[in-house]
Amino acid sequence: MTEPMNQQVRLKATPDGIPSADHFVVAETALVPPSDGEVLCKNLYLSLDPYMRSQIAGRHMSGSIAPGDVLKGETVSEVLESKHPDFKPGDRILVPGGWQTYSTLTPIVDPLRPDGARMLDARITPPSLALGVLGMPGLTAYAGLKHLGEPKEGDVVVVSAASGAVGSMVGQYAKSLGCTVIGIAGSADKCQWLTQTAGFDGCINYKQELVADGIDRLCPNGVDIYFDNVGGETLDAAAWRLAVGGRVILCGLISQVNSGEPITGPNPAAFIRARATVRGLVVYDFWDQMDDMIGTFVELIAAGKMHFLEDVSTGIEAAPEAFARLMNGKNFGKTIIKLA
């Protein structure tokens, strides 16, 4: 019987600007059997996330990617062969398996390490949710809003990139806490899903009106919490419309992630005027709250108070094009590659 081959996506060339599928190449290599302390996994689902663009640019705290390297990424995987005492064949685990169909690695058994291996929580079904609403994006939304935004019932919450894996969870979690929620998204379909399915109170289509005009229209008394996934002009527009005592959570930089040049930020006078609190969010600081987030969000999903979208492509060869769509803002929901 022919031994299966490992298919990998490697960086072909570092993009200057928005990546395209041509910046990546799919290669085949033999499987690597595990040594002592290692496991051989079959990767089932791969998560694609905006932070990977910063890895490719060499600007992310989790490491960099150079031409010739296999792209990094979290996977839901099945253990095929184990020489590690904590894992056995058949276990389904979350590991940094990367953009490949198989991975041989030394699992880090530490629940407080973002790069640690952990068993797939039995409450998570389908398993792909462990990479989205019930994984790192969900924890980003949960911890950022709860601990940095400190929401109160009646607060007006505005979230950018609102139809994405993080933004959509921020808004729905805020709604469950009694807040008024306004999203910012880039298409009529996305705005319709946010208001009609996800329960947002309003949505600004930034391709049809200025964000500043939309906030003035939908938030006449100002913004209590602004959850920023974008930066740039969107952050500036929200900053000038903060209510007194407003809170800003700085989470993402979509507006500049494809650019090598830093983008000028908002005038500090906007924050001074509002006596605002501005806090940067790094989800790794809250990794110990993963179980709390899963419990909270599972209950909201079961009660019909939290909805999610997955943008699923099949096969490792689909990953470059799916990543290019993500970086162009053409994804709709959490970007997932189904590998097996």
Side-chain angles (χ1 to χ4, degrees):
M1 189 172 179
T2 304
E3 188 75 17
M5 297 291 286
N6 186 19
Q7 291 182 295
Q8 301 176 323
V9 176
R10 300 174 182 170
L11 185 65
K12 182 179 179 181
T14 302
D16 181 13
I18 299 175
S20 71
D22 293 337
H23 290 105
F24 306 88
V25 63
V26 179
E28 282 194 344
T29 184
L31 298 190
V32 178
S35 300
D36 287 345
E38 293 184 330
V39 293
L40 168 63
C41 294
K42 182 176 184 179
N43 298 330
L44 307 178
Y45 297 93
L46 165 67
S47 175
L48 299 186
D49 299 281
Y51 76 84
M52 294 171 175
R53 181 63 182 88
S54 296
Q55 289 180 330
I56 293 171
R59 298 195 298 260
H60 200 267
M61 65 181 66
S62 63
S64 60
I65 300 293
D69 289 347
V70 178
L71 277 293
K72 301 177 182 180
E74 189 177 21
T75 57
V76 175
S77 304
E78 181 177 336
V79 177
L80 297 181
E81 187 178 347
S82 176
K83 292 189 177 181
H84 190 287
D86 292 342
F87 301 98
K88 64 183 186 300
D91 283 345
R92 289 198 167 187
I93 60 178
L94 285 99
V95 290
W99 293 30
Q100 53 188 347
T101 51
Y102 296 87
S103 55
T104 302
L105 47 83
T106 302
I108 300 170
V109 184
D110 184 347
L112 300 183
R113 286 274 300 266
D115 58 350
R118 63 186 192 277
M119 299 292 288
L120 182 68
D121 192 303
R123 295 171 292 179
I124 299 177
T125 181
S128 57
L129 296 188
L131 302 175
V133 55
L134 300 178
M136 183 181 69
L139 181 61
T140 302
Y142 175 83
L145 183 67
K146 180 177 180 180
H147 295 287
L148 303 188
E150 301 176 350
K152 305 184 297 296
E153 186 173 359
D155 277 347
V156 174
V157 178
V158 173
V159 55
S160 55
S163 67
V166 173
S168 60
M169 297 303 111
V170 170
Q172 293 178 88
Y173 183 38
K175 285 295 296 181
S176 76
L177 300 175
C179 300
T180 296
V181 177
I182 305 300
I184 303 171
S187 75
D189 287 345
K190 291 178 179 180
C191 286
Q192 183 179 39
W193 184 84
L194 288 167
T195 55
Q196 296 188 8
T197 300
F200 281 46
D201 297 285
C203 187
I204 301 163
N205 183 344
Y206 67 82
K207 293 185 178 179
Q208 292 187 344
E209 69 174 323
L210 295 174
V211 170
D213 292 343
I215 296 177
D216 287 340
R217 175 171 56 85
L218 294 171
C219 310
N221 297 317
V223 177
D224 297 298
I225 299 174
Y226 174 55
F227 197 106
D228 183 50
N229 292 304
V230 175
E233 293 178 358
T234 303
L235 173 59
D236 186 62
W240 286 110
R241 286 154 181 84
L242 291 169
V244 173
R247 286 87 75 200
V248 178
I249 302 104
L250 301 178
C251 177
L253 295 166
I254 293 174
S255 66
Q256 68 183 65
V257 73
N258 290 311
S259 172
E261 298 298 325
I263 293 175
T264 302
N267 190 323
F271 301 123
I272 295 170
R273 177 200 61 79
R275 294 75 153 174
T277 300
V278 182
R279 304 174 78 175
L281 170 59
V282 176
V283 67
Y284 306 144
D285 296 340
F286 300 95
W287 215 251
D288 61 334
Q289 297 189 38
M290 183 70 77
D291 189 66
D292 292 341
M293 178 277 295
I294 292 172
T296 299
F297 283 9
V298 163
E299 287 186 5
L300 290 174
I301 292 170
K305 296 180 179 180
M306 182 168 279
H307 304 268
F308 55 87
L309 285 170
E310 292 184 307
D311 191 326
V312 181
S313 301
T314 301
I316 191 64
E317 66 280 356
E321 182 60 39
F323 186 67
R325 288 201 317 272
L326 174 64
M327 291 293 95
N328 276 281
K330 295 181 179 179
N331 65 302
F332 198 165
K334 169 61 188 169
T335 305
I336 297 284
I337 304 298
K338 184 178 181 180
L339 300 173

